[in-house]
Amino acid sequence: MLLVPLYEHPADRPEAWELLIASAGRLHSVVLNPDSGPGEAPDERFAAVAGRLRDAGVPVLGYADTDYGRRSHAAVVQDLLRHRDWYSTDGAFLDQASADPELLPHYGRLVVAARAAGARTLVLNHGVHPHPGYAALADLLVTFEGPWDAYRDAGAAPRWTADHPAQRFCHLVYAVPPGAPAAELALERGAAVHCAVPGSGAHPWGTLPYDLEAGA
């Protein structure tokens, strides 16, 4: 299954959003990120694509940056409430999540607030394997985010991950060359959810996964 963070405005890449909506049956969820979060005001174009994705049965996750625990609880929750109120998101994607066990209480409170705001699907993007205690907080943990070269050479997952089904883990890989076996490698490493895109540099998530671009 594909978790897709498409960080492009629907007016700039309408064909990408159309392809994403048409591929609903292959999607775990889509991350909605108008402006490194919900932005300062509602955007009708994002509201429209969010509604079409929901109508197609795809969970829409509101993006909120947690800055590895440095961003305040109130600021993160405000982002989640704006996503809910402006775009009717039914999930949350908490980015730059800490992997540190000392911050488990902080993220526990964020998760409680996100659930209270209506998040049925909650994703923590650690980008690395976190302390195993985080598995009790979220529906899905992103345990890798980075370029293909680092992913290809990464080691095996820690042993605690074997206590959970592969559907609880996601790998986000960018700068992936054509034909690279990213999906196969993700499954081999215990992640049933993934996204592998050709994009690179400071903004890799403006491109769609290879599987969708190829119409596979």
Side-chain angles (χ1 to χ4, degrees):
M1 294 290 282
L2 297 169
L3 181 155
V4 180
L6 181 57
Y7 300 162
E8 287 287 331
H9 197 281
D12 297 330
R13 295 274 319 268
E15 73 290 344
W17 284 96
E18 290 297 330
L19 181 54
L20 197 57
I21 293 163
S23 305
R26 306 180 62 186
L27 304 179
H28 172 279
S29 51
V30 171
V31 183
L32 202 72
N33 186 13
D35 187 13
S36 296
E40 294 301 317
D43 185 313
E44 62 181 14
R45 297 292 188 95
F46 275 105
V49 294
R52 293 177 63 195
L53 284 165
R54 286 195 313 276
D55 289 346
V58 179
V60 180
L61 313 179
Y63 175 98
D65 183 9
T66 72
D67 194 21
Y68 303 106
R70 292 185 290 264
R71 196 160 178 241
S72 74
H73 175 93
V76 175
V77 172
Q78 181 183 56
D79 278 358
L80 298 179
L81 292 175
R82 285 179 171 177
H83 277 298
R84 181 198 66 186
D85 295 343
W86 296 347
Y87 306 114
S88 298
T89 52
D90 45 17
F93 182 89
L94 301 184
D95 196 23
Q96 297 199 112
S98 174
D100 191 333
E102 293 182 0
L103 287 175
L104 274 165
H106 171 72
Y107 281 91
R109 290 189 293 273
L110 285 177
V111 166
V112 168
R115 298 293 192 194
R120 294 194 294 272
T121 301
L122 200 147
V123 180
L124 289 175
N125 181 15
H126 305 279
V128 297
H129 285 96
H131 183 276
Y134 285 95
L137 300 182
D139 302 294
L140 187 71
L141 301 180
V142 179
T143 55
F144 181 91
E145 181 179 0
W148 168 253
D149 287 349
Y151 189 58
R152 180 193 57 206
D153 299 334
R159 292 181 62 182
W160 69 263
T161 60
D163 296 333
H164 304 277
Q167 290 78 10
R168 298 285 311 283
F169 300 101
C170 174
H171 294 166
L172 302 177
V173 192
Y174 55 84
V176 180
E184 295 85 348
L185 194 53
L187 278 174
E188 181 182 315
R189 293 176 176 172
V193 183
H194 79 288
C195 189
V197 302
S200 59
H203 181 49
W205 303 114
T207 53
L208 285 176
Y210 272 113
D211 288 350
L212 301 188
E213 290 280 22

